[in-house]
Amino acid sequence: LGMACPRPGCRQKVLGSTLAAMVRMFLGLLGVLAFKPYDPCSTVTCGNLVCPGGFTSTTTPGHCCPYCENPNIKLERQILSQPSIHEKPPSSDAPSSCAGVRCFALVCKKNQYP
């Protein structure tokens, strides 16, 4: 440890404090390794889900609770094939990466503006 110890027993104190610091670092590292990420669903209580005919309860990774899904309904095709009366053209300032997006008119409360 290369430190000059002018008093008797000094070297033992330096070694002892160094060892104590190493033990604290090791225990701190163990704490970091044992860290478990927070589960946002851990405090969510899901209700009793009853799906109507044709729908089944579906569990999806990243979702806390199951939901009803009907595999025979393809919403993507129906939604994308029909234009909406609320649809507006993208802004002329939109970046080129927005090609193909569908924009809708903003709806504001009375006396509010976008």
Side-chain angles (χ1 to χ4, degrees), residues 16-59:
S17 63
T18 302
L19 181 60
M22 291 173 66
V23 168
R24 283 193 301 272
M25 285 179 16
F26 177 73
L27 292 175
L29 179 61
L30 283 180
V32 169
L33 293 176
F35 172 75
K36 293 182 182 176
Y38 173 72
D39 178 11
C41 296
S42 65
T43 58
V44 175
T45 302
C46 299
N48 183 24
L49 183 64
V50 178
C51 296
F55 288 79
T56 57
S57 177
T58 303
T59 303

Side-chain angles (χ1 to χ4, degrees), residues 53-79:
F55 288 79
T56 57
S57 177
T58 303
T59 303
T60 303
H63 294 232
C64 294
C65 299
Y67 54 90
C68 296
E69 182 178 73
N70 185 333
N72 298 320
I73 297 175
K74 301 295 181 202
L75 294 177
E76 306 89 63
R77 183 176 57 235
Q78 293 174 3
I79 290 173

Side-chain angles (χ1 to χ4, degrees), residues 80 87 90 96-103:
L80 294 176
E87 196 170 344
S96 61
S97 60
C98 291
V101 298
R102 296 181 73 177
C103 301

